[in-house]
Amino acid sequence: MLKINDLHASIEDNEILRGLSLEVKPGEVHAIMGPNGSGKSTLASVLAGNEDYEVTGGSAELDGKDLLDMGTEDRAREGLFLAFQYPVEIPGVSNINFLRAALKDIREYRNLAPLSASDFLKLVKEKSALVELDGKLTNRSVNEGFSGGEKKRNEIFQMAMLEPKLAILDETDSGLDIDALKVVAHGVNTMRSPERSFIVITHYQRLLDYIVPDFVHVLYKGRIVKSGTKELALELEEKGYDWIKEEVTA
Amino acid sequence: MEVLSATDQKKEAFLKGIAAACETPLSMGATQLREAAMATLESQPVPTTRSEAWKYTRVTRLIGKTWNKGEAQENATEYFVPEVNGWNIVFVNGQFDAAQSTMPDAAGLTVMTMADALKAGKLDAQWGSLTQQQSDWFEALNMAFATDGLYIHLEAKTAIDRPIYLLHLTTGDATAVVSRNFIQVEKGANLTVVQHAVSAEGTSAYVNIVNEHFVADNAQFNFEKIQDEAGEIYHHSTEWAEQTRDSRYDIRSITLQGHWVRNNLNIRVNGENCGTNLYGSYMPNGKEHIDNHTMVDHLIPHCESNEVYKGIVNDKSTAVFNGKVFVRPDAQKTNAFQQNANIVLSDDAEMYSKPELEIYADDVKCSHGSTTGQFDEEAVYYLRARGIGEQSARMLLVQAFVADVMDAISNDALRDYCLNKLQERASA
């Protein structure tokens, strides 16, 4: 599904990713943890095609296609989805019109016939129920005046609508209360399938009780320095990152 | 013999040209108005950028040219916005085209040319009373030389659902069009008028249109002004409105394109409990120049005005917004709101925005905001990250930006037309 090899990326001449490699196979859930500033969100941004970052080396392929060569919209059309850490408010653009435009462009790219108006609305109803997103919110301007939790649920709602191959959740759990966290996790778990993969970026092990990962990686100074299973997350929660840093510098 | 300066010579030549193009102006039948207007034209200099009201808008080219009378024949069919479902009334180069017009046949509604109205004695003391309050040079030019226009009168307690759709088509080379409308909506009546100015690519002209609107007690008047002129058109457009108690005056000024446009909108809120809504949008491309000057004059207590102007300024174009709000000493409990927001798309584009609030009453709520910025690139990225192409993303954001102005347009077909045109321009 996703193959990242020796990826280097910088922002304003600051190298953040320094040779990151990662392989995600279909159906797998990978959690990426790490101390602040280790490059977790940079990885998400670089994969999604944020032009603020410059890729200076390495490769990233989605199902054999060179991701780094594609524009942001084409990555999304190929099936990559990023749930943003800080979803953008777009006054005046309704959630519904936004998703209609997105689905239209994605389906066109994949040579699929456009959804009928009634099929589209059915999908909206079904998927918004999945994350318990109020019907009123789906008609409001994108993220405008949404609470933190509503914004995050809206990200998962969008993910459910667009049905990506690979979803990257960038700290979707940060700042969520336990109820909202369960809702988000339920949305993600419902979407899990043998064909769909997830990269879950998080600070906190708590999320991984609800979205159980197949692998846990520790990112430090722009590289994956340790990989393990879900037990690694528990160990990190208990011991912090200092022992990892020591291992790396040793 | 008196020797004229170069500037005065230019003014003389310009006026001579306009006088020749407008051989039989309406003011021939109104001696006092004509004399006052001619006196203003003679005694005052042509405005220059040294005067505050014309600081960013030059009239040199317009004055330096000789303008002529245009032909009166041209098929206007293709210029109408479809499905507005109004009574279509066509003026070609300022001249009424009866063959292409459908006069309204609704009870209580009188629509005729200004020339006919003048002959019929319908233009009473109110005619010219608003424009004369301020001796603006170009308004005086209009008073002196306007050849014709549309007279509309709606009787009290009459509601007309169907809009009157006035199309001003300008054609030819160096054509002068000086036109003047007079609209009176009596007590408790309800009317919508669309004024749509158009011209084809390759046209060059000077167009000066003045509107006088009188909105009586408890009446509602909507004025939808659409400017969509291709070619090299110098377009001067003035509305003077007076509303009295419990009335509502709504105007939309949408400039879809225009080589050089100056809009003056002046509203006297002269009665309690009035509602006044001014919405505007402009999107200059290329080297276009679009200038909106508005003035809301609150004279009486307990009124509310709401003004929203939104602009997207591209290429090497210039836009100007100047919004004056007066709250006179008597006008306590006034609620006046003004917003001007602009997006500048290129490094060479210029936007001059100036809110001017003059408040002489002490128990009022007035607010204004002026913002000028770039496209929200983060929003573009967010939309693209959901698979929306960059061009569609920008169009969505343009739509969102002008939505409050577009949604205010009272006719759906007109609204959709304007929105599509603006989006086309934004993605061109």
Side-chain angles (χ1 to χ4, degrees), chain A residues 48 50-51 72-73 76-77 81-82 84 90-93 98 102 105-106 143 155 158 162, chain B residues 376 378-392 396-397 399-401 403:
Chain A
N50 186 331
E51 284 156 10
T72 299
E73 56 269 52
R77 292 162 182 174
F81 182 92
L82 170 63
F84 282 76
I90 312 181
V93 176
F98 158 58
D105 282 9
I106 289 174
N143 295 322
E155 293 294 290
Q158 291 172 31
L162 303 182
Chain B
D376 183 353
E378 262 191 67
V380 175
Y381 170 59
Y382 188 79
L383 294 170
R384 289 177 67 200
R386 297 298 176 249
I388 298 174
E390 182 161 359
Q391 186 168 320
S392 311
L396 263 177
L397 291 174
Q399 180 180 355
F401 178 65

Side-chain angles (χ1 to χ4, degrees), chain B residues 67-373:
Chain B
W67 307 96
N68 315 299
K69 186 175 175 177
E71 298 287 328
Q73 292 237 317
E74 183 74 28
N75 190 334
T77 320
E78 63 172 296
Y79 293 101
F80 279 101
V81 175
E83 291 170 35
V84 168
N85 190 31
W87 284 294
N88 295 350
I89 295 174
V90 177
F91 279 77
V92 179
N93 294 328
Q95 299 164 64
F96 176 60
D97 187 329
Q100 297 194 76
S101 300
T102 315
M103 287 316 228
D105 50 2
L109 180 61
T110 308
V111 180
M112 58 174 73
T113 65
M114 286 290 277
D116 287 346
L118 191 63
K119 271 186 240 153
K122 292 194 180 287
L123 292 170
D124 57 11
Q126 278 183 303
W127 186 41
S129 64
L130 293 176
T131 49
Q132 273 205 321
Q133 293 182 7
Q134 171 188 302
S135 47
D136 176 88
W137 201 86
F138 287 102
E139 285 174 29
L141 181 84
N142 184 286
M143 187 75 241
F145 296 110
T147 49
D148 207 349
L150 203 62
Y151 168 89
I152 301 172
H153 179 269
L154 182 62
E155 271 179 22
K157 291 193 266 181
T158 321
I160 303 287
D161 291 339
R162 198 173 167 188
I164 295 171
Y165 188 164
L166 170 59
L167 188 86
H168 265 281
L169 171 58
T170 303
T171 66
D173 186 26
T175 308
V177 176
V178 187
S179 185
R180 194 173 180 96
N181 304 321
F182 182 93
I183 302 173
Q184 199 159 20
V185 184
E186 299 287 9
K187 285 182 184 175
N190 190 332
L191 183 69
T192 299
V193 172
V194 177
Q195 179 183 295
H196 186 187
V198 294
S199 59
E201 209 62 68
T203 311
S204 78
Y206 172 56
V207 178
N208 181 327
I209 302 175
V210 168
N211 268 275
E212 283 176 280
H213 300 154
F214 293 90
V215 187
D217 296 2
N218 207 28
Q220 162 144 19
F221 180 52
N222 298 313
F223 193 63
E224 312 290 355
K225 185 167 89 171
I226 316 293
Q227 297 167 321
D228 189 9
E229 291 169 313
E232 196 180 329
I233 311 288
Y234 292 83
H235 186 113
H236 224 131
S237 176
T238 307
E239 288 82 34
W240 268 97
E242 181 167 71
Q243 51 181 142
T244 53
R245 65 172 307 149
D246 306 315
S247 65
R248 191 168 153 160
Y249 181 75
D250 285 12
I251 178 166
R252 263 71 59 169
S253 295
I254 315 292
T255 308
L256 299 172
Q257 61 173 331
H259 172 68
W260 181 102
V261 178
R262 168 65 180 246
N263 289 319
N264 290 326
L265 168 56
N266 308 290
I267 304 168
R268 279 167 57 83
V269 186
N270 200 9
E272 286 197 9
N273 192 32
C274 287
T276 311
N277 291 297
L278 312 68
Y279 286 87
S281 192
Y282 40 89
M283 193 171 207
N285 276 11
K287 289 184 173 177
E288 293 178 342
H289 183 104
I290 297 171
D291 178 345
N292 278 287
H293 269 63
T294 68
M295 190 270 281
V296 181
D297 194 354
H298 283 283
L299 300 154
I300 307 282
H302 295 289
C303 292
E304 193 169 317
S305 66
N306 177 39
E307 176 169 19
V308 181
Y309 271 68
K310 298 240 173 131
I312 300 177
V313 192
N314 202 358
D315 302 332
K316 292 183 171 177
S317 68
T318 306
V320 182
F321 172 81
N322 182 294
K324 276 197 181 73
V325 177
F326 292 108
V327 181
R328 303 291 178 185
D330 286 344
Q332 299 293 0
K333 307 283 182 193
T334 295
N335 267 338
F337 170 81
Q338 182 189 83
Q339 189 200 358
N340 175 229
N342 302 287
I343 295 176
V344 176
L345 292 180
S346 108
D347 289 344
D348 298 319
E350 292 173 44
M351 176 70 224
Y352 301 96
S353 174
K354 187 178 177 196
E356 284 185 62
L357 275 64
E358 290 189 30
I359 300 165
Y360 302 102
D362 53 15
D363 185 12
V364 300
K365 252 192 245 167
C366 296
S367 67
H368 69 89
S370 170
T371 56
T372 297

